Amino acid sequence: MKRWLTRIAFALAVVLLLLTVLNASWLAEKPRGGVRLIAHRGVYQLFDHKGVERDTCTATRIEQPVHDFLENSVRSMQAARQMGADMVEIDIAPTADGRIAVFHDWTVDCRTEGTGDTRDLTMAQLKQLDPGYGYTADGGKSFPFRGQQKGTIPTLEEVLEALPSTPIIFNFKSRNPREADLLAAALKAARRDVEGRRDAFYGAAGPVERIKAHFPKAWAWSPKERAKACTKDYVLYGWTSIIPESCRNGTLIVPLNYQWAFWGWPNRTIQRMDKVGARVLIVGPYGEDGHMGLTLPEQLGEIPSSFKGYVWVDDIWTVGPALRPNRDIRTKAQQDAAEAGLKRRREGMD
């Protein structure tokens, strides 16, 4: 009996040793390249995510403003790039006259003085609206951006002109594959070198699969379908060193607070994803404040120094300069205001 127990213990020890070697990050080749920051919505007003649903008006839930940039505006995208972003994420919405507006919401009721579905309005009608009209941090007592940026809901063409050399991530808000056709036609008409510029696309599976037909080499992913499957499968059986088929040409999403769950993290994991053409994307802590991306500069310190991949950032205004201080365009007053805002945010997390 003791002999069998010894043999079983020895076999288990050998298996454990093999698994350790197979998943040893330090034995993998160090990843090449650098960290690439993705600025979600450019520089924008962060808001309380608790209880947010699809139709919740997030403009009425913003933090006390520390800057005057608004999401999806050309000005905010350019500032994000200047503040250290390698890519800028934007939301697209087809208009009633066949154009593409860069705007997040399904209706204009929340952020503007207008009413109605965004897709039922023409681009000219959207241009008449004030995208800062509805923002308030004190329950409607004051509206700090009202009347300041009227007419600045941008067209796709304006964004492309403003970011000629910056990779853009286009977010499909709809499940309609035809919106991918419309976007592809507009990008080709603007002579945008999508694959050469390393633009990307994400959203529901329908438009994502359609956009791949137009730009086969571009990074295109569906968070709730393929990316979720890749992430789940790798956590479940990545220890075997067998790379899940769901990760092939896909996206592995790594929450900041669950890095420990990914076999061979970070070097071995990245090496495996590289073999199947998959990207690795670090996002904010899962299940904490509801933000998808990083919101505090110190969160950068939780990412391994050898990590070479994408990092989703919700507050590029403070996170960007923490990684790339030489690209900080803020004035001293803006820096002080940002620090005060970070203090309030940290206190709110306690």
Side-chain angles (χ1 to χ4, degrees):
M1 185 64 178
K2 289 184 178 180
R3 181 178 297 178
W4 279 107
L5 289 175
T6 300
R7 290 177 177 176
I8 292 172
F10 178 76
L12 289 174
V14 171
V15 170
L16 182 61
L17 178 62
L18 288 174
L19 289 176
T20 301
V21 172
L22 280 174
N23 293 287
S25 176
W26 61 274
L27 288 176
E29 181 181 353
K30 188 175 180 180
R32 299 178 181 179
V35 172
R36 282 156 282 186
L37 301 183
I38 299 171
H40 183 207
R41 304 184 188 181
V43 179
Y44 76 106
Q45 303 295 323
L46 269 66
F47 55 88
D48 183 3
H49 279 68
K50 295 177 182 176
V52 169
E53 298 180 356
R54 171 176 165 168
D55 296 325
T56 301
C57 180
T58 58
T60 62
R61 303 164 63 96
I62 63 171
E63 297 178 353
Q64 181 178 326
V66 299
H67 57 70
D68 64 349
F69 292 97
L70 299 180
E71 64 177 54
N72 284 311
S73 67
V74 166
R75 181 169 167 264
S76 82
M77 297 173 204
Q78 292 175 324
R81 179 59 174 161
Q82 291 174 307
M83 293 289 284
D86 299 285
M87 303 183 75
V88 177
E89 185 266 3
I90 65 172
D91 304 293
I92 62 166
T95 63
D97 55 345
R99 303 286 297 281
I100 295 179
V102 179
F103 191 74
H104 176 275
D105 297 355
W106 285 92
T107 74
V108 297
D109 301 56
C110 171
R111 300 181 197 283
T112 81
E113 75 277 31
T115 59
D117 290 346
T118 306
R119 287 162 173 74
D120 290 340
L121 301 176
T122 66
M123 195 67 235
Q125 289 174 313
L126 290 173
K127 280 292 187 183
Q128 296 299 314
L129 299 177
D130 177 5
Y133 186 89
Y135 283 85
T136 179
D138 53 16
K141 295 177 182 178
S142 63
F143 295 87
F145 309 119
R146 184 170 288 185
Q148 295 181 15
Q149 301 183 43
K150 189 177 180 68
T152 58
I153 295 177
T155 65
L156 174 68
E157 291 78 14
E158 288 172 329
V159 171
L160 298 180
E161 184 178 353
L163 301 176
S165 60
T166 301
I168 299 172
I169 298 186
F170 300 91
N171 180 19
F172 295 111
K173 305 301 295 183
S174 166
R175 295 180 177 276
N176 188 345
R178 289 194 295 271
E179 294 195 5
D181 294 332
L182 183 63
L183 176 59
L187 291 171
K188 291 174 183 177
R191 299 182 181 277
R192 178 82 174 184
D193 183 6
V194 169
E195 295 175 340
R197 183 59 54 211
R198 296 187 179 181
D199 291 332
F201 309 86
Y202 79 107
V208 165
E209 291 305 314
R210 183 69 64 82
I211 203 70
K212 285 182 178 179
H214 293 283
F215 307 110
K217 296 180 182 179
W219 179 21
W221 51 290
S222 50
K224 295 182 179 180
E225 287 89 7
R226 283 288 303 275
K228 183 177 180 180
C230 170
T231 302
K232 180 180 178 181
D233 291 345
Y234 187 76
V235 169
L236 286 176
Y237 62 88
W239 59 272
T240 63
S241 79
I242 298 174
I243 306 170
E245 184 60 29
S246 56
C247 292
R248 187 170 300 279
N249 298 317
T251 302
L252 182 74
I253 298 178
V254 181
L256 196 64
N257 56 340
Y258 279 92
Q259 297 175 75
W260 54 267
F262 291 80
W263 302 95
W265 182 256
N267 297 5
R268 183 72 72 185
T269 306
I270 295 174
Q271 183 186 65
R272 289 169 177 168
M273 293 301 114
D274 283 345
K275 287 182 178 179
V276 295
R279 274 83 167 182
V280 181
L281 173 64
I282 290 181
V283 297
Y286 176 75
E288 293 188 6
D289 62 6
H291 287 90
M292 182 175 174
L294 275 59
T295 59
L296 298 170
E298 57 265 29
Q299 290 174 327
L300 288 169
E302 300 176 37
I303 300 174
S305 60
S306 63
F307 175 74
K308 301 297 184 289
Y310 298 89
V311 179
W312 198 271
V313 180
D314 271 342
D315 189 8
I316 196 69
W317 190 246
T318 62
V319 175
L323 182 66
R324 294 160 180 157
N326 62 317
R327 292 174 62 174
D328 191 349
I329 64 171
R330 299 173 300 175
T331 65
K332 180 62 166 58
Q334 289 173 326
Q335 291 176 359
D336 292 342
E339 283 302 319
L342 287 172
K343 181 180 180 182
R344 290 190 293 270
R345 189 178 300 160
R346 293 180 183 114
E347 290 173 347
M349 293 178 176
D350 293 338

